[in-house]
């Protein structure tokens, strides 16, 4: 897979993402359902702790990706839903650290929502990946 960043404006790079990426020569495409801060039994974890919920959500996303033989570096699109945009932004360094190691500046969207399916959850991340 070849990724070509498209950034008509450089401001998004300071926030850790590309405006777009042109993906060519991909052979597999994975679409992940929204991942949240739940344990292996689906029980919500870390109520009221946005930082730990983001970290566990990313752990769960990586587990799904690894099931397909992929990692964060293969994500081509990320959508983040949160019940508190300001709190999520305060802890975006968690995402930056994880995606930085993967050398990825994946195009993403952050959306504020009234609530998620389980009321104690504060963040949900959907992803698409390719290789």
């Amino acid at each position: 897979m070849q990724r070509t960043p498209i950034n008509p404006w450089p401001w998004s790079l300071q926030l850790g993402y590309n405006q777009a990426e042109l993906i060519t020569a991909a052979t597999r495409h994975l679409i992940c359902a929204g991942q949240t801060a739940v344990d292996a039994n689906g029980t919500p974890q870390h109520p009221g702790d946005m930082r730990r919920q983001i970290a566990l959500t990313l752990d769960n996303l990586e587990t799904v990706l690894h099931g397909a033989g992929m990692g964060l570096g293969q994500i081509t699109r990320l959508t983040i839903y949160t019940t508190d945009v300001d709190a999520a932004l305060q802890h975006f360094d968690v995402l930056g650290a994880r995606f930085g190691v993967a050398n990825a500046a994946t195009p993403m969207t952050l959306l504020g929502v009234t609530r998620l399916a389980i009321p104690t959850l504060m963040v949900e991340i959907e992803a698409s990946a390719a290789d």
Side-chain angles (χ1 to χ4, degrees):
M1 170 179 72
Q2 175 68 39
R3 301 170 83 115
T4 304
I6 309 295
N7 290 299
W9 315 279
W11 62 263
S12 66
L13 295 174
Q14 297 170 15
L15 298 173
Y17 71 94
N18 290 313
Q19 291 290 322
E21 288 183 332
L22 179 62
I23 306 294
T24 55
T27 57
R28 297 185 311 148
H29 187 189
L30 177 69
I31 300 170
C32 301
Q35 298 300 305
T36 59
V38 296
D39 65 15
N41 297 312
T43 305
Q45 303 294 302
H46 316 302
D49 189 335
M50 180 66 78
R51 185 171 197 84
R52 290 178 71 194
Q53 282 201 14
I54 290 171
L56 181 54
T57 298
L58 288 170
D59 290 345
N60 290 340
L61 177 59
E62 282 192 277
T63 298
V64 171
L65 290 165
H66 290 159
M70 296 181 179
L72 294 176
Q74 281 76 46
I75 292 179
T76 58
R77 176 96 173 118
L78 204 61
T79 304
I80 303 167
Y81 303 92
T82 182
T83 58
D84 188 338
V85 171
D86 293 328
L89 287 171
Q90 287 176 346
H91 300 289
F92 249 48
D93 63 302
V94 175
L95 277 93
R98 299 283 275 278
F99 281 89
V101 169
N103 198 27
T106 303
M108 69 175 71
T109 300
L110 172 64
L111 297 168
V113 297
T114 305
R115 64 166 273 193
L116 297 171
I118 300 171
T120 59
L121 295 174
M122 299 182 293
V123 65
E124 184 166 342
I125 300 177
E126 288 180 340
S128 293
D131 66 0

